[in-house]
Amino acid sequence: MGFSDEENAFIEWYPRGYGVGFKVKARLLEIQTRYQRLELYETEGFGKLLVLDGTVQLVERGEESYHEPLVHPVMLAHPNPERVLIIGGGDGGTLREVLKHGTVEKAVMVEIDDAVIDVSRRYLNIDRGAFEDPRAEVIVGDGVEYLRNAGEKFDVIIIDSTDPVGPAKMLFSEGFYRDVYNALNGRGLMVTQAGSVYLFTDELLGAYREMSRVFDRVYYFSFPVIGYASPWSFLVGVKGDVDFTRVDLSRAEGLELKYYDPERHETLFQMPRYVRELLEAFPSL
């Protein structure tokens, strides 16, 4: 349904009639970019709400519940993440979390829609200076094309995309994952969000299957994200000798995390039994 004047609310409807909604005080912006419809609202209790093509991207108060589990588990599991690539992430939250790590020498962010970057910098400022960090390189362009022609290798690649349906579906394909694998160093990690565990189960299974055809090992985990139909799923692809079940707690000190707890890293892997059984039913590829 989106925004309702009568209810003063924004509701994102998921499959089977499930909705996630926010009480809204004002609509601050509504524009049609070259790629999508962008809306910005002021909510009653969660600050500003960013919406793309009718889907919630983030709320100001609680966006860390998405960006922290997307970034820090792979960053702390990798032995020395110096070069990081982010596909998407135009709001700057993922870049901000990546640059908290002192090992990072270069972080490249490729966002296709410059309007998302502009609006986020003007109204949200959740990057907290990340766009100006000398280690950051921000590119406006197609992340798929960038990966396909990448002339450099990365230790960690983070796919901060929209849901695994519609136009973003290509970011969950075997061909795309193969380009990611080839762009990783000999020891590398890739992470992608993969939608609601309960409501996008088929999409999660499909992405897991496609990744399993490419990566040496694939892990799945979930996390409750404010503004999304929780629990939200994430998939990690491993290249080479990296153990994603363990993280370096010494490097977690000083990260100032609110949601992801490195000392309880193992709790990420809790999945509903039926989802775990479906995922583990796939034969080794």
Side-chain angles (χ1 to χ4, degrees):
M1 179 178 72
F3 179 67
S4 167
D5 285 307
E6 293 180 1
E7 299 290 337
N8 288 324
F10 180 91
I11 302 174
E12 178 182 351
W13 289 107
Y14 285 81
R16 292 182 281 157
Y18 187 97
V20 175
F22 292 90
K23 283 287 188 180
V24 168
K25 293 196 291 187
R27 177 157 47 189
L28 304 177
L29 187 69
E30 181 177 10
I31 61 174
Q32 179 65 43
T33 77
R34 287 183 295 170
Y35 299 98
Q36 55 206 334
R37 189 174 86 260
L38 186 155
E39 299 165 84
L40 192 69
Y41 297 91
E42 185 70 40
T43 70
E44 284 193 4
F46 291 88
K48 295 182 181 67
L49 164 67
L50 178 65
V51 177
L52 297 177
D53 279 344
T55 64
V56 172
Q57 300 304 299
L58 64 87
V59 284
E60 248 182 322
R61 295 174 196 156
E63 49 84 11
E64 300 95 338
S65 65
Y66 169 75
H67 290 119
E68 287 184 8
L70 178 69
V71 171
H72 297 295
V74 289
M75 293 294 290
L76 292 172
H78 193 284
N80 188 31
E82 296 179 341
R83 303 175 68 82
V84 180
L85 173 64
I86 303 164
I87 302 296
D91 55 70
T94 296
L95 183 63
R96 176 198 72 215
E97 295 300 318
V98 165
L99 292 173
K100 286 182 178 180
H101 292 263
T103 59
V104 175
E105 297 176 355
K106 182 179 182 181
V108 179
M109 189 192 90
V110 185
E111 165 63 54
I112 196 169
D113 196 339
D114 58 345
V116 175
I117 299 174
D118 293 341
V119 168
S120 297
R121 296 183 77 166
R122 284 182 58 198
Y123 293 94
L124 293 171
N125 295 313
I126 67 165
D127 67 287
R128 296 171 202 158
F131 287 125
E132 284 73 42
D133 192 298
R135 296 171 294 166
E137 180 182 355
V138 177
I139 298 171
V140 176
D142 186 339
V144 175
E145 287 299 318
Y146 180 89
L147 258 180
R148 192 169 294 147
N149 303 306
E152 55 183 321
K153 300 286 187 180
F154 297 92
D155 301 304
V156 173
I157 296 178
I158 300 170
I159 313 302
D160 185 2
S161 71
T162 52
D163 296 342
V165 293
K169 210 164 184 181
M170 67 169 54
L171 299 178
F172 298 84
S173 66
E174 179 183 349
F176 176 73
Y177 293 140
R178 200 161 296 283
D179 289 336
V180 171
Y181 188 91
N182 293 334
L184 286 169
N185 280 314
R187 288 198 297 178
L189 291 172
M190 170 262 195
V191 62
T192 182
Q193 68 91 7
S196 171
V197 172
Y198 296 136
L199 302 175
F200 290 151
T201 306
D202 289 344
E203 287 79 9
L204 168 61
L205 293 170
Y208 180 84
R209 181 179 61 247
E210 299 296 286
M211 286 181 68
S212 297
R213 293 179 173 138
V214 175
F215 288 91
D216 302 340
R217 288 171 304 287
V218 178
Y219 294 88
Y220 51 88
F221 68 90
S222 65
F223 204 86
V225 176
I226 296 173
Y228 295 2
S230 293
W232 207 252
S233 65
F234 299 81
L235 291 169
V236 173
V238 178
K239 180 178 181 179
D241 182 20
V242 183
D243 184 0
F244 181 64
T245 65
R246 297 177 180 273
V247 294
D248 185 345
L249 293 179
S250 67
R251 286 194 281 122
E253 296 178 6
L255 291 178
E256 298 182 359
L257 304 177
K258 293 174 65 177
Y259 294 92
Y260 167 62
D261 185 354
E263 294 183 12
R264 300 292 183 269
H265 179 73
E266 71 279 0
T267 63
L268 291 179
F269 303 103
Q270 176 61 42
M271 276 276 187
R273 179 168 180 162
Y274 83 94
V275 177
R276 176 179 61 80
E277 290 176 345
L278 287 169
L279 288 164
E280 292 178 352
F282 285 120
S284 298
L285 299 172

